[in-house]
Amino acid sequence: MEKLTISTQPIAGQKPGTSGLRKKTKVFMGPHFLENYVQAIFDGIGGVAGAVLVVGGDGRYFNDRAIQVILRMAAANGAAKVIVGKDGVLSTPAASHLIRKNKTEGGLILSASHNPGGIDADFGLKYNGPNGGPAAENVTDKIYAATQTLTEYRIIECMDIVIGAIGTQSLGAMAIEIVDPVTDYAALMEELFDFGAIRALFDSGFTMRFDAMHAVTGPYAKEILENRLGAAAGTVVNAVPLPDFGNGHPDPNPIWAKDLMDLMMGPDAPDFGAASDGDGDRNMIVGRGAYVTPSDSLAVLTANAHLAPAYKKGLAGVARSMPTSAAADRVAEAMGIAHFETPTGWKFFGNLLDAGRATLCGEESAGTGSDHVREKDGLWAVLLWLNILAEKRISVSDILTAHWATYGRNYYSRHDYEAVASDAANGLMDALRTALLDLAGKSVGELTVAMADEFSYLDPVDGSTSAGQGIRISFTNGARVVFRLSGTGTEGATLRVYLEQLELDPAQMNRDPQEALAPVIAAADELAGITTRTGRAAPDVIS
Ligand code: VG1
Ligand code: CO
């Protein structure tokens, strides 16, 4: 076993995005790329000498090889111990929990989340800090700076480390502890929720399908839903994680989880359906004949979380990302609790959760979570829904109808234009930036602009500012459109257009969302010239 110091060069342009660094798998597999980036993370966080780290990933292609490199580099950089999920697998929320439970200096999570996996697909790497959450911007800035000045990386040369059996071993002076990925996470869920009540719900004949999409939550969902809560065998489908997610797109939305959607909208629908993404932090919730948008889900959970033991004392506040609909804000106002609007990406919730100012957080992109970890958590959201259903004993559809009757309905949709030429996408945003300066009061189609700006976030906890977080335009009739470019794509640019319309008339609450949003969709195109600038007549994905 030899410790090597390898000379290397700065790596250009590797700025972490919304959620760590995401690239084509082949880029990560290229000579020294992964090694350089891992060393930049270690250097950027001030070194890992004597540190304890958690390491695990979503099991996608290259996960196994990358873990070997990270372990050898952690040892060469003087880490004291690395806690690794068996076979290198940990869901993102489970990794967050292990970081917190073991009070480690943080962890490395290998995932490109909902992006497809495989040698020709995507890979990603993210550093989470000691609070269990994605590194804040001041840390990712340091990691990025380290990529620009890198001159060497340190690695131990050795045989492959066996990570398929639970137990502790050593690599040089560093300990490697292999843990079962599910055990601690499942125990945490038992603390938060009334498993007895949920078991009674299943005993009463309640039926469910959970689609793990061949991604990391399969083993977690089987253990928790089928083994501990008594859901029928076969409730969890696509439960075996595969390196290429069965050639699928492990993104739990009506487009990519179409099989589940078809089932739930058809004659044989079970009472409840849910799905999770590649790394287990996203969730999709759907009742029989009733899809719940992630924005509505956050609002419903905010209104009902007190029905679960962990939240029975009430919530300190609720936080949502800026493009997420305002549905949760109105619940918070009615309940007299604080609400916050943050930029896209879970890292911005961390300070609010650490400071005890928010208890629940959510994003329109199917992410919901609470202060139990510092990541969004797919299965947690499913269990909170189940706990609420176990208490209320009414259907998802009835919960939605009652919720809208009380708070109004925020029609919501996101239109994505993927792999657009970067120049065209940047040009569109630049033009909007200029135009918004005198948009207020102007009419666009049948709508009138109330307010237009580029979102800049002032963190109420640490006073830091994050500018350039998306262009938002609201209209006098309660409609809003947000434009932003994705920070997780690996090809060209992805333009996201977020559309919202508040409806307070109960007679108008059962419309098709795309129809209800038609005026704001038209206004979005008129304002941004989407078709002209991108050459696209229609979005690639409507969710
Ligand atoms: C997307 C979502 C964002 C989410 C991020 C990471 O980012 O819009 O809400 O936090 O993915 O989710 P972007 O920059 O592409 O819009 V995950 O499940 O990929 O870690
Ligand atoms: Co994810």
Side-chain angles (χ1 to χ4, degrees):
M1 200 181 319
E2 205 187 336
K3 189 171 149 184
L4 304 176
T5 300
I6 314 248
S7 298
T8 191
Q9 282 168 356
I11 41 174
Q14 307 311 329
K15 209 169 172 62
T18 316
S19 196
L21 188 69
R22 280 190 202 165
K23 294 277 161 195
K24 289 286 168 205
T25 310
K26 278 183 178 156
V27 174
F28 267 103
M29 292 172 76
H32 309 293
F33 185 91
L34 173 69
E35 289 85 345
N36 283 339
Y37 195 65
V38 170
Q39 189 65 53
I41 293 176
F42 290 167
D43 292 351
I45 62 173
V48 292
V52 180
L53 297 170
V54 169
V55 176
D58 62 11
R60 70 180 57 224
Y61 186 88
F62 193 54
N63 192 93
D64 50 352
R65 300 310 312 153
I67 294 256
Q68 295 289 333
V69 168
I70 292 169
L71 290 175
R72 287 156 55 207
M73 289 187 64
N77 279 274
K81 179 171 152 182
V82 177
I83 300 170
V84 189
K86 182 173 166 294
D87 296 318
V89 171
L90 285 174
S91 77
T92 289
S96 181
H97 178 50
L98 281 178
I99 293 171
R100 296 167 64 75
K101 179 168 182 263
N102 295 287
K103 303 196 165 44
T104 75
E105 275 77 20
L108 296 183
I109 301 175
L110 297 79
S111 171
S113 191
H114 55 290
N115 297 22
I119 190 163
D120 293 315
D122 295 345
F123 193 79
L125 181 58
K126 170 168 82 163
Y127 167 72
N128 278 30
N131 75 346
E137 282 198 324
N138 64 335
V139 177
T140 54
D141 286 349
K142 286 186 190 139
I143 294 171
Y144 177 59
T147 65
Q148 307 298 295
T149 53
L150 202 68
T151 55
E152 57 181 45
Y153 67 82
R154 288 176 284 288
I155 190 163
I156 279 178
E157 206 177 47
C158 64
M159 304 275 282
D160 269 6
I161 302 136
V162 179
I163 54 173
I166 288 160
T168 302
Q169 52 190 296
S170 57
L171 178 62
M174 184 181 88
I176 297 178
E177 186 186 347
I178 312 288
V179 299
D180 181 85
V182 179
T183 312
D184 287 323
Y185 178 83
L188 175 64
M189 294 302 118
E190 288 214 37
E191 274 170 35
L192 301 175
F193 300 114
D194 186 344
F195 271 37
I198 303 174
R199 210 174 297 118
L201 177 71
F202 282 119
D203 282 349
S204 74
F206 181 89
T207 53
M208 170 176 182
R209 175 172 291 184
F210 181 93
D211 192 338
M213 304 187 87
H214 290 301
V216 78
T217 42
Y220 295 84
K222 276 237 163 226
E223 172 60 22
I224 294 172
L225 297 173
E226 294 186 12
N227 297 348
R228 300 198 187 190
L229 291 171
T235 294
V236 182
V237 299
N238 300 322
V240 179
L242 298 172
D244 65 351
F245 307 116
N247 222 354
H249 208 123
D251 193 353
N253 64 34
I255 308 298
W256 298 114
K258 188 169 181 307
D259 291 351
L260 178 64
M261 271 306 273
D262 289 349
L263 175 76
M264 296 307 297
M265 299 301 145
D268 303 319
D271 294 301
F272 190 61
S276 189
D277 73 330
D279 61 333
D281 57 0
R282 296 188 178 201
N283 71 88
M284 177 169 113
I285 301 293
V286 50
R288 181 181 290 129
Y291 168 68
V292 184
T293 68
S295 295
D296 276 349
S297 179
L298 178 66
V300 169
L301 295 182
T302 302
N304 296 289
H306 60 273
L307 296 174
Y311 312 102
K312 69 169 185 290
K313 294 204 184 91
L315 310 175
V318 58
R320 61 163 176 88
S321 68
M322 183 274 280
T324 304
S325 94
D329 298 13
R330 283 201 317 288
V331 177
E333 275 155 21
M335 295 174 86
I337 60 172
H339 59 91
F340 301 90
E341 184 177 40
T342 62
T344 295
W346 211 260
K347 59 186 162 199
F348 295 100
F349 294 133
N351 279 346
L352 295 170
L353 293 167
D354 286 350
R357 296 180 65 171
T359 311
L360 297 195
C361 303
E363 293 193 279
E364 51 66 40
S365 55
T368 332
S370 87
D371 58 0
H372 68 291
V373 289
R374 293 294 179 274
E375 286 278 6
K376 52 191 187 267
D377 188 343
L379 258 175
W380 167 91
V382 173
L383 292 169
L384 181 49
W385 265 94
L386 284 172
N387 203 148
I388 291 166
L389 291 168
E391 292 298 330
K392 289 193 166 259
R393 300 287 175 129
I394 60 172
S395 70
V396 171
S397 158
D398 288 346
I399 287 187
L400 278 181
T401 307
H403 186 91
W404 294 334
T406 310
Y407 302 100
R409 176 172 184 182
N410 288 69
Y411 282 104
Y412 190 84
S413 181
R414 188 176 95 186
H415 291 190
D416 292 332
Y417 299 80
E418 295 176 342
V420 173
S422 296
D423 287 354
N426 289 324
L428 180 149
M429 292 298 285
D430 285 342
L432 272 174
R433 222 164 258 134
T434 315
L436 59 80
L437 297 174
D438 57 1
L439 267 186
K442 289 220 166 115
S443 47
V444 189
E446 36 184 287
L447 306 182
T448 305
V449 176
M451 192 280 298
D453 72 354
E454 183 160 27
F455 182 50
S456 175
Y457 178 60
L458 173 65
D459 187 310
V461 180
D462 68 15
S464 63
T465 308
S466 303
Q469 298 293 337
I471 288 170
R472 47 183 190 178
I473 300 165
S474 46
F475 302 91
T476 50
N477 70 339
R480 183 180 77 147
V481 57
V482 171
F483 299 88
R484 68 176 273 284
L485 299 183
S486 156
T488 60
T490 57
E491 233 178 290
T494 294
L495 171 68
R496 302 204 195 283
V497 184
Y498 307 82
L499 304 140
E500 178 175 357
Q501 173 71 62
L502 174 63
E503 179 59 70
L504 295 171
D505 177 0
Q508 297 297 324
M509 284 183 190
N510 286 307
R511 301 177 64 195
D512 170 65
Q514 299 303 317
E515 240 173 74
L517 292 165
V520 58
I521 293 171
D525 192 47
E526 188 175 330
L527 282 163
I530 302 170
T531 311
T532 351
R533 286 181 176 271
T534 65
R536 305 287 173 82
D540 297 284
V541 180
I542 295 181
S543 56

